[in-house]
Amino acid sequence: MEKGKIHILFVCGNGMGTSTMAELGVRNNLNKYSIKAEMQHTSLGQMQSLRDWADIIVILKNLFRDVDVKDGEYFIPVVNIMDSKGITAQINEIVEAHFPEAKG
């Protein structure tokens, strides 16, 4: 985590449409929780190269079943990528529990 800022990675099949829409929706809702974040989106194939950068990874549930979660990683598997309010609420729960310095 960058000082005072959480890193959130959005993952979909191709790293373009779905993950981009999720990122934009969450970006619009983070202010409600006073969370400071840097965000990126990528494909499942490229996720590995950004995995160490990410504090939280938002991923489509059907892609998540192929991922081996390591200790200290926080994934949010989602069915409805358009549920930006629900995704943001889950991000807030993780931030409060593990990255409280990202709130401010």
Side-chain angles (χ1 to χ4, degrees):
M1 183 176 111
E2 188 177 318
K3 185 175 178 163
K5 189 182 286 187
I6 195 87
H7 292 162
I8 305 169
L9 182 63
F10 295 85
V11 180
C12 70
N14 294 321
M16 298 302 285
T18 307
S19 59
T20 302
M21 290 186 320
E23 178 183 340
L24 292 172
V26 168
R27 185 179 304 277
N28 291 331
N29 286 290
L30 284 177
N31 287 338
K32 175 182 174 184
Y33 295 100
S34 299
I35 296 172
K36 293 181 180 24
E38 185 173 328
M39 294 179 259
Q40 290 191 43
H41 57 272
T42 192
S43 66
L44 181 62
Q46 295 296 316
M47 180 183 77
Q48 194 62 35
S49 67
L50 292 167
R51 212 163 165 173
D52 289 338
W53 172 86
D55 298 305
I56 299 172
I57 300 174
V58 178
I59 186 170
L60 290 170
K61 195 170 194 168
N62 63 326
L63 300 176
F64 180 66
R65 62 180 164 227
D66 296 327
V67 175
D68 290 325
V69 179
K70 302 172 191 172
D71 285 342
E73 286 187 317
Y74 301 97
F75 278 85
I76 300 175
V78 295
V79 174
N80 181 1
I81 204 76
M82 299 306 292
D83 180 18
S84 57
K85 289 181 182 178
I87 295 168
T88 308
Q90 290 180 67
I91 289 169
N92 183 57
E93 289 175 17
I94 294 170
V95 168
E96 285 185 348
H98 304 284
F99 306 102
E101 60 275 17
K103 293 192 91 166

